[in-house]
Amino acid sequence: MLVSTSFLSSNNIPKDLQKLDETKTDYIHIDVMDGKFVNNKTMPFIEMSKIYKYTSKRLDVHLMCEDTSKYIKDYAKLNAEFITIHVESNNVKENLELIRDYHIKSGIALNPETKVRDIIPYLPLVDLILVMSVEPGKGGQEFIKETENKIKEIKILLKEYKLNKIISVDGGINNETRKYVKECDMVVSGSYIINSNDFEEQIDSLR
């Protein structure tokens, strides 16, 4: 199980990023919010781009934005392994192609109420499918247990189309909810790790 750690709930981002850099987390998860697609808004890119003062980890970028093209162009400048956009966002096909033009792995995210079939047109263009197990845009929410069935549905879909994609789950992930996502390939966890005294112990408990 891969672990991507979000610092959305951090009260001291530089310190927590430095601590994460010393752990075995596979990725640093970057939540980017525009204040439109979700109510909250994250720090501007000029501030986010300073992340490499504190960590050398590869980035797993999640764009919770209506118009993702300008954000893709910015975050493609960083050490991103994945850039994920929402199936509910604008110009999905064009923006997935834009991500791939930068030779970065592309992802498609779907909100809790979104049907799995909505991602079918974009499957040839993605490397990762991100299942939101909470409503996007706010850390520390309770895990939605129905996510387990959505993961199973995606696995059936991928088998039907003979495709191999990374399935990632984001929201409310901890050592209790992990049992509901055991069939996925990667988990995104924030509060469970960041609000603990031992980052490595929490990360290990998710694998």
Side-chain angles (χ1 to χ4, degrees):
M1 180 78 73
L2 297 170
V3 176
S4 183
T5 303
S6 167
F7 56 88
L8 185 63
S9 60
S10 173
N11 293 318
N12 189 333
I13 292 173
K15 181 182 177 182
D16 286 340
L17 285 173
Q18 287 173 327
K19 286 174 66 177
L20 283 171
D21 203 45
E22 297 171 0
T23 70
K24 295 186 180 71
T25 189
D26 296 284
Y27 302 102
I28 300 295
H29 186 85
I30 305 277
D31 288 298
V32 182
M33 298 178 278
D34 63 358
K36 298 176 183 177
F37 187 80
V38 294
N39 291 330
N40 292 338
K41 194 168 185 178
T42 42
M43 68 180 78
F45 177 75
I46 193 168
E47 293 298 320
M48 198 77 85
S49 64
K50 297 174 183 176
I51 190 171
Y52 291 113
K53 291 183 178 180
Y54 314 109
T55 181
S56 59
K57 296 279 187 182
R58 297 298 302 274
L59 304 182
D60 167 31
V61 179
H62 177 197
L63 301 181
M64 290 176 271
C65 309
E66 281 186 359
D67 181 10
T68 57
S69 58
K70 65 177 181 178
Y71 297 97
I72 291 167
K73 292 168 186 174
D74 281 340
Y75 283 88
K77 300 171 187 173
L78 304 183
N79 189 24
E81 179 146 346
F82 301 99
I83 296 180
T84 296
I85 65 175
H86 274 258
V87 70
E88 305 91 356
S89 64
N90 299 333
N91 304 314
V92 175
K93 181 177 182 292
E94 293 83 351
N95 287 319
L96 288 172
E97 289 171 342
L98 178 61
I99 295 168
R100 296 170 81 85
D101 285 344
Y102 284 106
H103 304 288
I104 294 171
K105 294 174 184 175
S106 59
I108 191 80
L110 58 164
N111 286 341
E113 71 278 6
T114 303
K115 304 297 183 185
V116 168
R117 63 175 176 268
D118 290 350
I119 68 172
I120 291 175
Y122 310 113
L123 288 177
L125 295 172
V126 301
D127 303 282
L128 178 146
I129 299 166
L130 179 63
V131 182
M132 295 302 300
S133 46
V134 298
E135 291 298 327
K138 185 179 178 182
Q141 295 182 66
E142 187 174 341
F143 178 87
I144 298 170
K145 292 181 181 178
E146 288 76 11
T147 303
E148 183 176 20
N149 293 329
K150 186 168 277 190
I151 294 168
K152 290 177 180 177
E153 189 178 347
I154 291 170
K155 288 184 77 74
I156 292 170
L157 180 70
L158 293 177
K159 186 174 182 181
E160 180 184 341
Y161 281 85
K162 297 181 172 60
L163 295 171
N164 185 25
K165 311 289 182 182
I166 293 170
I167 300 175
S168 180
V169 181
D170 181 3
I173 300 295
N174 55 45
N175 62 335
E176 299 276 323
T177 57
R178 186 194 179 283
K179 62 187 176 185
Y180 298 107
V181 300
K182 59 189 177 184
E183 291 192 47
C184 71
D185 307 293
M186 183 161 79
V187 291
V188 178
S189 185
S191 304
Y192 175 67
I193 298 169
I194 294 296
N195 295 340
S196 73
N197 294 321
D198 190 331
F199 288 9
E200 192 74 84
E201 181 180 1
Q202 303 296 83
I203 291 165
D204 287 343
S205 73
L206 296 175
R207 293 198 187 280

